[in-house]
Amino acid sequence: VTGRTRAARRQALLLLAPTLVALTALTVYPGCWVVWLSLQHRVPIFGVARFAGLDNFAFLAVDPRFWSAARTTAAFTALSVALELLLGVAVALALARQERGRRLGLSLLLLAWAMPSVVTAKLYEWLYHPTAGLINVLLGAHAINWLGDPRLALPAVILADVWRSMPFVALLCYARLRTIPAELYEAAQVDGAGRLATLGRVTLPLLGRIVLLALLFRTLDALRAFDIMFVLTGGGPAGTTETLTVYAYRSLFQMLQLGFGSAISVVVFALVMGAAWAYLRLLRPRAVVA
Amino acid sequence: VRRLLLVLWVAVLSGCGGSALERGPVTLVFKYARILGPADPVPELLREFEAAHPNVRVRGEALPWTSDEQHQFYVINLEGRSPGFDVMMLDVIWVPEFARAGWLLDLTPGLHPGELAPYFPSTVEAATDHGRVWALPWNMNVGLLYYRADLLGKYGLAPPETFDELARQVVRIRAGERDPALDGYLWQAKQYEGLVVNVLEAFWANGTRLLADDGTLFPEPGRAAEALGFLRGLIASGVSPAWTPAADEELSRRAFGDGRAVFLRNWPYAMDLFQARDSPVRGRVGIAPLPGFAGGPRGAGSTGGAHLGVSRRSRHPELAVDLARFLTSERAQKAIALGAALSPTREVLYHDPGLVRSRPELPALHALMRAGRSRPVTPYYLLLSSTVQPEFSAVLVGLKAPARAIGDARLRLSHFLDALR
């Protein structure tokens, strides 16, 4: 190794140092601490603090509330992300073709996305209000029991999340659509491709990677979703909208089961890491040229 | 949220808050939830305390809005040994928990004989753990029945004393009014603390409890199941609307306030709103005790409210106790009751002429407060509550039979309570 590369390497380390220190302090250290907590029985109100090994995880394995929360998390993630991608791509395509009102459309999309999710949840709480809510007022005699029916509560929560998060996907895809050179479409036209063929053979394949990226971001967010169900339903009725993060929150900050709650957090962490790893493999650059 | 949590843990662990001892004026920090209404009377009271204590500054700091967030704030700061505040407003159900965790100063040694006598006994009981007093009662709440006096009068009915009577009155009034938008009896069954409160009131009406004195959960499971089954029946039969399992205080208050229901179970705060100038039900609402069951004890409302405790980490414990004492004094409570829709914890104020003039409902409220009952006074109340919430909710939406829900709740609780102690 020459002196020059060694110096360059040292400089690189020096430049990375602040990031590494910050990441260690803010993520790695607390992360390890949570893992350590998850291996303990720790209940401050009883003065209990002792090593528990895998007890907490063993209880989770037979805990029906945990499995219900896991199922809810899976259903919420799958449905909300799928809807957000479908609608997001559709809206992006519509916007890209639209000349008039495009700026207005973009601003409206940004508005929904920029709203904190607690505010979105409050907004939907009023929209879903059984007697005074806009939705039920419009439905008139066919008013729907949105948040009080165990079969409808999760779809209602998903709808609110889709409304908030779809713009993120739409804006990402729209930005990608703008960068597709016009020559490609001209070439397609010359080759005699119709509208559908152009969409299927040119536009969608070129959108593929950005959609995958949006899928990654949205999945990770959806797996950790908390605010929207916490405000809208508190996890009810009958626990049908309780996700793993809501369960972790309740265990940590209400039941004060710090060890047990940390065990749930560790599971969420593992899920998020697993999903991220899988997607990053899919996203790995391949020999395909965009 | 997980990341936020981690960041918070770090903040806690790195021991925020310096240890530099200040010279000169002493500063006390009072944590409380801002009081809604035209004027928050607390800042003025704090200035008054300062005037009486030269060299002491009091800073009132706002707590987060929701009770859940307030609890989280305290847990993080107190478990992290932060000395950032001296006097704190506590939801009454947290007092034994915080006391047991060692976060509160024991107020017992400094109490004068008879000092607690003017308070409602139930508020003092709720602040007592192991015979020691850990907080002073500040304001109080009780569950009660609102009824549409105009509708009941039209059909020649008196406020119902039993639930059967209530159900019959609902059927009769709705048949007479022929208004499909008019609901019967509104109460709170969203999956949250309010649901537990409503179920407890039904338990008491049916002569049973959630937690016996010896720590037994559901000491009479049969009676508890009966009460749960009855509540489910209210929804199934249409006496209460199908959306009851999504209703919290505000949602149900709003529907009743729009004139869309005959009866409502809620806290005293709603009266002010029903009597507001632009309220559709202004002058048409009465209050009564909650109904009981035929042949059972009289219905009792659950009590709630806020207490003031002193942090064990306070650097000026004596001054902090003085401040808590001042804020819970008769004078201060009167000022608060005049400026906000909060009800005092001192019985004498319910017949104070100056106060009754602006709050005419107080004398009637006095009897309801006296008859009110505390939720289980135990350090693990929140564990109890958040364990039974989904079970009760499952019964009320018809997903689980009452007996099974009770069995499941017992099983879970025994894991957390027995295995870990």
Side-chain angles (χ1 to χ4, degrees), chain A residues 142-280:
Chain A
H142 309 286
I144 289 174
N145 181 16
W146 292 101
L147 301 176
D149 184 325
R151 284 159 307 177
L152 290 178
L154 188 61
V157 168
I158 289 173
L159 195 67
D161 189 67
V162 168
W163 183 83
R164 194 186 92 87
S165 304
M166 176 275 284
F168 171 76
V169 181
L171 290 171
L172 269 185
C173 293
Y174 172 73
R176 176 71 182 107
L177 286 176
R178 301 283 288 173
T179 64
I180 297 177
E183 295 89 58
L184 281 179
Y185 288 109
E186 283 156 20
Q189 213 169 7
V190 170
D191 289 346
R195 278 183 164 194
L196 269 181
T198 313
L199 180 70
R201 299 279 171 87
V202 181
T203 313
L204 288 183
L206 289 178
L207 267 181
R209 290 182 63 77
I210 206 80
V211 170
L212 212 55
L213 196 71
L215 180 69
L216 166 70
F217 282 131
R218 287 305 313 143
T219 309
L220 300 193
D221 272 349
L223 282 173
R224 296 175 300 141
F226 173 80
D227 322 44
I228 210 143
M229 46 282 278
F230 192 72
V231 174
L232 263 182
T233 60
T240 47
T241 58
E242 183 170 83
T243 54
L244 288 171
T245 40
V246 173
Y247 189 27
Y249 174 88
R250 290 208 186 283
S251 307
L252 281 167
F253 292 115
Q254 293 188 330
M255 297 153 74
L256 297 185
Q257 303 284 332
L258 301 191
F260 178 68
S262 299
I264 306 172
S265 306
V266 167
V267 171
V268 177
F269 179 71
L271 277 176
V272 170
M273 288 306 281
W277 179 80
Y279 283 137
L280 286 177

Side-chain angles (χ1 to χ4, degrees), chain A:
Chain A
V1 184
T2 66
R4 209 147 140 220
T5 47
R6 211 177 302 148
R9 210 176 273 171
R10 208 175 310 136
Q11 193 187 11
L13 267 180
L14 204 71
L15 291 173
L16 274 175
T19 314
L20 288 177
V21 169
L23 270 180
T24 311
L26 291 175
T27 313
V28 180
Y29 174 61
C32 293
W33 179 251
V34 167
V35 172
W36 171 236
L37 268 181
S38 74
L39 301 175
Q40 298 185 39
H41 288 306
R42 190 179 280 230
V43 191
I45 46 168
F46 296 140
V48 171
R50 57 186 146 86
F51 188 71
L54 295 175
D55 273 14
N56 288 325
F57 294 96
F59 180 68
L60 280 184
V62 297
D63 176 10
R65 189 165 172 182
F66 170 79
W67 287 108
S68 155
R71 275 193 303 275
T72 305
T73 307
F76 175 82
T77 304
L79 285 170
S80 68
V81 172
L83 278 172
E84 279 154 23
L85 289 184
L86 268 175
L87 286 173
V89 170
V91 166
L93 287 172
L95 268 181
R97 301 280 304 201
Q98 197 72 27
E99 285 303 328
R100 236 190 264 166
R102 185 194 283 168
R103 287 173 78 95
L104 182 71
L106 284 172
S107 324
L108 286 176
L109 281 177
L110 263 177
L111 191 73
W113 170 243
M115 224 182 272
S117 45
V118 175
V119 178
T120 307
K122 277 279 159 205
L123 191 93
Y124 270 83
E125 198 183 352
W126 281 109
L127 283 173
Y128 287 142
H129 190 290
T131 59
L134 180 63
I135 300 180
N136 274 359
V137 168
L138 290 179
L139 289 172
H142 309 286
I144 289 174
N145 181 16
W146 292 101
L147 301 176
D149 184 325
R151 284 159 307 177
L152 290 178
L154 188 61
V157 168
I158 289 173
L159 195 67
D161 189 67
V162 168
W163 183 83
R164 194 186 92 87
S165 304
M166 176 275 284
F168 171 76
V169 181
L171 290 171
L172 269 185
C173 293
Y174 172 73
R176 176 71 182 107
L177 286 176
R178 301 283 288 173
T179 64
I180 297 177
E183 295 89 58
L184 281 179
Y185 288 109
E186 283 156 20
Q189 213 169 7
V190 170
D191 289 346
R195 278 183 164 194
L196 269 181
T198 313
L199 180 70
R201 299 279 171 87
V202 181
T203 313
L204 288 183
L206 289 178
L207 267 181
R209 290 182 63 77
I210 206 80
V211 170
L212 212 55
L213 196 71
L215 180 69
L216 166 70
F217 282 131
R218 287 305 313 143
T219 309
L220 300 193
D221 272 349
L223 282 173
R224 296 175 300 141
F226 173 80
D227 322 44
I228 210 143
M229 46 282 278
F230 192 72
V231 174
L232 263 182
T233 60
T240 47
T241 58
E242 183 170 83
T243 54
L244 288 171
T245 40
V246 173
Y247 189 27
Y249 174 88
R250 290 208 186 283
S251 307
L252 281 167
F253 292 115
Q254 293 188 330
M255 297 153 74
L256 297 185
Q257 303 284 332
L258 301 191
F260 178 68
S262 299
I264 306 172
S265 306
V266 167
V267 171
V268 177
F269 179 71
L271 277 176
V272 170
M273 288 306 281
W277 179 80
Y279 283 137
L280 286 177
R281 273 186 70 98
L282 279 176
L283 271 170
R284 208 178 274 169
R286 267 163 294 168
V288 182
V289 191

Side-chain angles (χ1 to χ4, degrees), chain A residues 25 30 34 41 45 48 50 63 65 130-131 145 226 230-231 236-239 247 249 253-257 269, chain B residues 1-2 6 10 68 71-72 75 97 100 190-191 242-243 246 260 379-380 382-383 386 393-394 412 415-416 420:
Chain A
V34 167
H41 288 306
I45 46 168
V48 171
R50 57 186 146 86
D63 176 10
R65 189 165 172 182
T131 59
N145 181 16
F226 173 80
F230 192 72
V231 174
Y247 189 27
Y249 174 88
F253 292 115
Q254 293 188 330
M255 297 153 74
L256 297 185
Q257 303 284 332
F269 179 71
Chain B
V1 160
R2 200 186 53 81
L6 300 180
V10 166
D68 283 340
H71 187 259
Q72 177 187 352
V75 168
E97 171 191 325
R100 201 67 71 84
K190 181 178 171 177
Q191 189 178 314
W243 50 265
R260 306 187 65 149
Y380 53 81
L382 284 193
L383 171 62
S386 52
S393 175
R412 274 188 73 76
H415 167 77
F416 286 114
L420 299 184

Side-chain angles (χ1 to χ4, degrees), chain B residues 45-401:
Chain B
L45 288 169
L46 297 182
R47 299 295 85 77
E48 213 172 293
F49 182 82
E50 287 175 341
H53 296 74
N55 226 23
V56 176
R57 293 276 152 278
V58 185
R59 205 163 64 228
E61 287 184 359
L63 281 171
W65 277 117
T66 66
S67 172
D68 283 340
E69 285 170 276
Q70 293 165 11
H71 187 259
Q72 177 187 352
F73 169 86
Y74 281 134
V75 168
I76 290 172
N77 282 279
L78 293 166
E79 179 71 0
R81 295 158 200 268
S82 157
F85 42 87
D86 304 279
V87 178
M88 42 194 187
M89 181 187 114
L90 302 169
D91 191 314
V92 58
I93 51 179
W94 307 335
V95 176
E97 171 191 325
F98 284 21
R100 201 67 71 84
W103 296 335
L104 294 179
L105 191 73
D106 179 3
L107 303 180
T108 326
L111 289 174
H112 313 309
E115 186 176 342
L116 299 176
Y119 294 103
F120 285 102
S122 70
T123 62
V124 176
E125 179 209 337
T128 309
D129 185 46
H130 278 10
R132 320 289 294 175
V133 176
W134 302 91
L136 296 175
W138 195 33
N139 60 58
M140 194 180 175
N141 252 325
V142 69
L144 51 88
L145 183 74
Y146 290 93
Y147 62 89
R148 283 282 298 279
D150 56 333
L151 287 176
L152 263 64
K154 186 170 164 191
Y155 294 88
L157 302 167
E161 284 181 16
T162 66
F163 274 112
D164 293 328
E165 219 180 314
L166 177 140
R168 276 198 306 273
Q169 294 186 354
V170 164
V171 172
R172 171 131 176 242
I173 292 174
R174 288 177 72 190
E177 292 296 304
R178 293 164 187 239
D179 176 4
L182 184 70
D183 280 320
Y185 174 46
L186 307 184
W187 45 288
Q188 296 84 39
K190 181 178 171 177
Q191 189 178 314
Y192 78 128
E193 177 58 27
L195 165 63
V196 180
V197 168
N198 279 261
V199 172
L200 281 175
E201 286 165 351
F203 281 7
W204 297 333
N206 204 31
T208 187
R209 294 190 288 175
L210 176 58
L211 186 71
D213 290 333
D214 63 359
T216 313
L217 291 156
F218 299 100
E220 294 115 338
R223 278 176 178 274
E226 222 173 79
L228 277 170
F230 170 80
L231 289 175
R232 165 68 191 152
L234 285 177
I235 300 171
S237 67
V239 169
S240 297
W243 50 265
T244 305
D248 59 9
E249 283 97 348
E250 273 301 275
L251 201 114
S252 51
R253 194 271 300 164
R254 167 89 198 218
F256 183 88
D258 286 344
R260 306 187 65 149
V262 185
F263 297 105
L264 164 73
R265 181 252 170 243
N266 212 319
W267 308 101
Y269 83 98
M271 197 57 176
D272 267 24
L273 300 163
F274 296 148
Q275 297 296 39
R277 213 165 284 283
D278 56 350
S279 158
V281 294
R282 183 180 160 92
R284 301 195 287 171
V285 176
I287 57 174
L290 288 173
F293 290 118
R298 271 194 75 89
S302 170
T303 55
H307 281 46
L308 297 185
V310 173
S311 165
R312 182 171 285 174
R313 304 259 153 213
S314 169
R315 293 204 200 90
H316 315 285
E318 276 137 48
L319 279 171
V321 172
D322 278 353
L323 177 60
R325 225 182 220 139
F326 168 73
L327 287 169
T328 52
S329 68
E330 200 179 312
R331 252 181 53 68
Q333 289 205 28
K334 183 172 172 179
I336 292 169
L338 277 172
L342 294 174
S343 305
T345 51
R346 291 174 174 269
E347 300 199 46
V348 62
L349 287 171
Y350 287 77
H351 301 283
D352 180 292
L355 198 50
V356 171
R357 209 172 305 128
S358 68
R359 301 270 306 268
E361 79 280 12
L362 280 181
L365 217 47
H366 185 220
L368 297 177
M369 293 276 190
R370 266 228 98 138
R373 292 179 61 164
S374 300
R375 283 165 275 175
V377 180
T378 156
Y380 53 81
Y381 179 77
L382 284 193
L383 171 62
L384 192 65
S385 171
S386 52
T387 304
V388 296
Q389 280 172 28
E391 300 297 341
F392 290 168
S393 175
V395 171
L396 296 179
V397 295
L399 285 183
K400 253 190 200 183

